[in-house]
Amino acid sequence: MRSLIMDMKAIQMVDLQGQYQRIKSEIDLALQQVLDEARFINGPQVASFQQELALYTGAQHVVTCGNGTDALQIALMALDLKPGDEVITTPFTFVATVEVITLLGLKPVFVDVCWDTFNMDVRQLDTVLTERTKAIIPVHLFGQCADMEEILAFARKYDLFVVEDACQAIGSTVRFSDGSIKQAGTMGHLGCTSFFPSKNLGCYGDGGAIFVQDEELAARARQIATHGSSQKYHHQRIGVNSRLDTIQAAILSVKLKYLNDYTDARRKAASFYDIALQNHPSVERPATADFSSHVYHQYTLKCMNGCREKLMESLKSAGIASAIYYPIPLHLQEAYAYLGYHKGDFPVSEALASCVLSLPMHTELDENQLKYIVAHLK
């Protein structure tokens, strides 16, 4: 172990350079083709990638856009909700989920998450339903899906829209009680994903996509993403300017071919962590719901007995990165104080914020690195 420690380089949360080197020749060729054609906006690679992603996920329609936040905003705009309409989601997520609700004049309404999966506690949906409730945004956090069978059943009962925030869960699947299997983002009325570089399927800049099953909704989303227009200088609705660049589409087409391999690598690393940490006295390993597969966008521990800072310092001193996703739940953020929530309103989210710690998780982790990380955790 001493020689391993002396030889080990710093271990980052993600290794995009290492991933690029493995597919460098394919990426460089794809980039060169775009440069040679010089069709940097809405080039043919954009349409090709949309088709490839639809085939991979099973979505009827894929509408690409500028980033995951835009995907969420465009999805909500496509539903033609009215100011003051309520959208149910969770406070233990990245701010973008709630940011877009607020920007559109809608009202975020929170329910807590489950301790084991970090995802929406569907048992609480009944408690916040009002006549103004119009939609639910379940977040598939850290790489596994929320309980979509229950969420969809609730939405059908009360005639609500479902917009999946699948920005961290591309490739994750849900098995329904009838035996059918569907991918993250393809189960609700609309689903959203992000191609931020550190995502499981990431580009080399910003990018996002919306998955839609209904043709009319897809047409709306496509219009909204291009200034509310389906024909140049003819604007049918109020829209935004949000496009996936041709260069990013070309990169994503290459990387999509490797997504299953990337997922396998993440699951292998997670399995190593699971086995090595199963008897650790101070950490609780991430759980996988029996209805969802896990693609491990993050491998997130719960640090018990106030040990998180000590563990982080131990890792940092050994050149090992770690991160807290997320240190402050959204209902306690200053920007959302106007919603009137207080400390104690969502005890599970608050408890998780005080104890979660994510370990390095990416496609290039090798066994020596994993052994080194675990040795310092122990």
Side-chain angles (χ1 to χ4, degrees):
M1 180 57 70
R2 172 176 285 275
S3 62
L4 179 62
I5 291 173
M6 292 177 66
D7 294 339
M8 189 63 61
K9 296 179 180 179
I11 301 174
Q12 303 302 319
M13 293 296 290
V14 295
D15 181 8
L16 298 178
Q17 180 60 238
Q19 187 185 72
Y20 164 64
Q21 291 300 326
R22 286 178 180 264
I23 55 174
K24 183 179 187 303
S25 60
E26 292 178 75
I27 292 289
D28 291 355
L29 182 62
L31 289 173
Q32 190 60 56
Q33 184 177 355
V34 176
L35 294 172
D36 289 342
E37 295 171 349
R39 296 175 64 182
F40 302 117
I41 301 296
N42 290 331
Q45 290 85 349
V46 177
S48 295
F49 173 64
Q50 288 178 155
Q51 294 171 359
E52 293 159 5
L53 190 58
L55 184 63
Y56 180 87
T57 61
Q60 291 298 310
H61 306 275
V62 172
V63 180
T64 53
C65 59
N67 53 67
T69 306
D70 282 0
L72 288 163
Q73 179 170 330
I74 293 165
L76 286 174
M77 291 175 71
L79 298 178
D80 288 333
L81 302 180
K82 301 296 186 291
D85 286 348
E86 295 176 358
V87 181
I88 302 171
T89 190
T90 58
F92 191 65
T93 179
F94 183 61
V95 69
T97 311
V98 174
E99 191 172 48
V100 296
I101 299 171
T102 305
L103 285 171
L104 294 175
L106 309 173
K107 181 182 178 181
V109 176
F110 293 128
V111 294
D112 215 342
V113 297
C114 299
W115 174 260
D116 53 351
T117 65
F118 309 108
N119 283 330
M120 179 176 283
D121 186 344
V122 297
R123 298 168 299 180
Q124 298 186 21
L125 290 173
D126 274 321
T127 67
V128 296
L129 184 71
T130 74
E131 61 181 14
R132 300 303 302 269
T133 307
K134 301 299 179 183
I136 306 172
I137 302 183
V139 182
H140 304 322
L141 200 68
F142 299 154
Q144 70 174 324
C145 293
D147 190 348
M148 288 303 296
E149 185 153 22
E150 292 295 328
I151 291 168
L152 291 172
F154 185 87
R156 284 191 295 269
K157 181 177 180 180
Y158 295 104
D159 194 25
L160 306 177
F161 292 110
V162 176
V163 178
E164 296 173 68
D165 183 341
C167 290
Q168 298 184 9
I170 191 165
S172 178
T173 58
V174 169
R175 181 183 294 275
F176 288 82
S177 56
D178 64 1
S180 62
I181 298 174
K182 294 184 179 181
Q183 286 223 21
T186 68
M187 295 168 278
H189 294 86
L190 304 103
C192 305
T193 197
S194 165
F195 303 125
F196 188 78
S198 63
K199 294 292 196 276
N200 294 36
L201 178 63
C203 56
Y204 294 168
D206 248 331
I210 305 156
F211 306 116
V212 198
Q213 303 308 106
D214 178 78
E215 187 172 349
E216 182 182 349
L217 265 182
R220 282 191 223 164
R222 200 171 286 113
Q223 280 184 340
I224 291 166
T226 53
H227 297 289
S229 171
S230 53
Q231 179 183 353
K232 195 170 185 179
Y233 302 129
H234 295 259
H235 306 276
Q236 290 77 35
R237 57 179 59 243
I238 294 172
V240 297
N241 176 26
S242 184
R243 296 172 292 207
L244 181 68
D245 292 341
T246 306
I247 283 176
Q248 303 303 339
I251 291 165
L252 288 164
S253 283
V254 173
K255 295 183 73 175
L256 181 59
K257 296 185 296 183
Y258 294 96
L259 182 55
N260 287 341
D261 293 337
Y262 293 162
T263 299
D264 288 343
R266 288 174 177 271
R267 286 173 175 161
K268 184 177 179 180
S271 179
F272 187 98
Y273 283 141
D274 279 347
I275 293 169
L277 298 174
Q278 61 184 337
N279 295 317
H280 197 294
S282 300
V283 300
E284 184 177 320
R285 299 167 298 167
T288 301
D290 56 6
F291 53 79
S292 176
S293 66
H294 207 315
V295 295
Y296 292 100
H297 174 60
Q298 301 293 346
Y299 185 91
T300 302
L301 301 171
K302 303 181 190 81
C303 302
M304 303 294 100
N305 307 317
C307 72
R308 182 169 67 181
E309 281 63 37
K310 184 177 180 181
L311 285 177
M312 288 188 76
E313 187 57 39
S314 174
L315 294 171
K316 182 180 178 181
S317 66
I320 303 166
S322 61
I324 300 172
Y325 306 110
Y326 298 96
I328 306 174
L330 297 181
H331 69 288
L332 298 180
Q333 295 282 355
E334 182 180 353
Y336 299 100
Y338 78 94
L339 293 172
Y341 292 114
H342 301 93
K343 189 171 183 178
D345 286 344
F346 303 102
V348 177
S349 293
E350 293 170 28
L352 289 172
S354 70
C355 73
V356 290
L357 183 66
S358 294
L359 301 181
M361 173 53 69
H362 55 79
T363 59
E364 309 307 304
L365 283 169
D366 60 37
E367 189 169 336
N368 280 341
Q369 289 175 314
L370 290 166
K371 286 180 177 178
Y372 182 71
I373 295 166
V374 169
H376 282 276
L377 279 171
K378 287 185 173 181

